[in-house]
Amino acid sequence: MSLDALTMDETVRRCLDAVRRGERIEIGMVNAAKLVNMRRDPRLAAAVAGCDLVLADGQAVVWAGRVLGVRLPERVAGIDLFMRLLAAAETAEIPVYLLGARQDVLELMLRRISEKFPALRVAGSRNGYFEDSDQGPVAADIARSGARMLFLGMTSPKKEIFTAGYGKQTGAHVVHGVGGSFDILAGITKRAPLVWQRMGLEWFYRTLQEPRRLGKRYLTTNTAFLLMTVRELIHRTPSAGSANRSH
């Protein structure tokens, strides 16, 4: 799998172009933890690799790319792209669908979004708690809503597997998995301050909020990612700098 060397502005333009042309773009976001989990989960790896755009959501991924000679212009954080696309959708009158989180969190987020983007056309919404057997009916509901952008506030690998299997059936031109962004917008969890983000310590800020749930997970995945990077550095070839996906 290779990453798309796009800036945030370029990504937003690509998404808006897809809506205007009636094309489809499935966006995959990767950070250190997901890259590690992709090594362990073939379904997750296949789902991410099958996306039309695969972007560096984690600062550690950008840094690792530089070490390995792969040019990634900047981090394209999933939540920041989410907010940029909501703003663009409001301006261009593009209907959106929001899928994910618990029902109470979803309702809180919808209220926050309506305050921030009062003219945004929300074609529909649904919580993220449904069985695998319900994926088809959920996709059909999204298609009936007429949404042109779909945002998935679900955890990995559920959102990637849904996108890979049913993204096309939703009829959305842009499908973007935004992970825990719904919880942040709803005010349930806090995002790291900008200085922490720039230092690549957003994961540590989250761990401080939920040490029991996230402490061991991040320690394990960050160590594994460092080892993966070192191994790749040892075995890299002169062509490593051309590993980016070109557009």
Side-chain angles (χ1 to χ4, degrees), residues 86-146:
L86 287 179
E90 179 185 38
T91 300
E93 299 185 344
I94 299 169
V96 305
Y97 195 103
L98 299 145
L99 174 64
R102 300 193 315 264
Q103 186 63 34
D104 59 327
V105 174
L106 178 63
E107 291 171 1
L108 276 171
M109 184 200 65
L110 288 170
R111 284 202 291 272
R112 297 283 183 90
I113 284 178
S114 68
E115 294 168 0
K116 190 171 183 63
F117 306 105
L120 180 67
R121 294 173 57 191
V122 178
S125 63
R126 191 198 190 286
N127 67 63
Y129 288 80
F130 53 88
E131 301 297 327
D132 289 349
S133 58
D134 293 325
Q135 291 184 97
V138 169
D141 286 342
I142 297 168
R144 282 192 291 270
S145 77

Side-chain angles (χ1 to χ4, degrees), residues 203-217:
W203 64 271
F204 185 58
Y205 189 87
R206 288 196 61 203
T207 300
L208 292 177
Q209 293 185 72
E210 301 181 78
R212 289 187 177 182
R213 187 174 76 87
L214 299 177
K216 184 178 180 181
R217 180 194 304 179

Side-chain angles (χ1 to χ4, degrees), residues 98-203:
L98 299 145
L99 174 64
R102 300 193 315 264
Q103 186 63 34
D104 59 327
V105 174
L106 178 63
E107 291 171 1
L108 276 171
M109 184 200 65
L110 288 170
R111 284 202 291 272
R112 297 283 183 90
I113 284 178
S114 68
E115 294 168 0
K116 190 171 183 63
F117 306 105
L120 180 67
R121 294 173 57 191
V122 178
S125 63
R126 191 198 190 286
N127 67 63
Y129 288 80
F130 53 88
E131 301 297 327
D132 289 349
S133 58
D134 293 325
Q135 291 184 97
V138 169
D141 286 342
I142 297 168
R144 282 192 291 270
S145 77
R148 292 295 171 258
M149 289 186 178
L150 168 62
F151 300 101
L152 304 169
M154 302 187 294
T155 57
S156 295
K158 185 172 183 177
K159 67 176 181 289
E160 288 86 4
I161 291 172
F162 177 84
T163 298
Y166 295 92
K168 186 175 182 179
Q169 294 182 28
T170 67
H173 296 310
V174 175
V175 181
H176 176 24
V178 299
S181 298
F182 285 15
D183 287 351
I184 294 174
L185 291 186
I188 303 300
T189 58
K190 293 182 180 180
R191 192 180 184 193
L194 189 58
V195 64
W196 289 59
Q197 296 175 40
R198 289 173 175 168
M199 293 172 63
L201 292 175
E202 199 162 5
W203 64 271

Side-chain angles (χ1 to χ4, degrees), residues 36-50:
V36 170
N37 290 330
M38 286 167 61
R39 291 284 184 98
R40 304 167 179 170
D41 186 342
R43 283 206 306 168
L44 174 60
V48 174

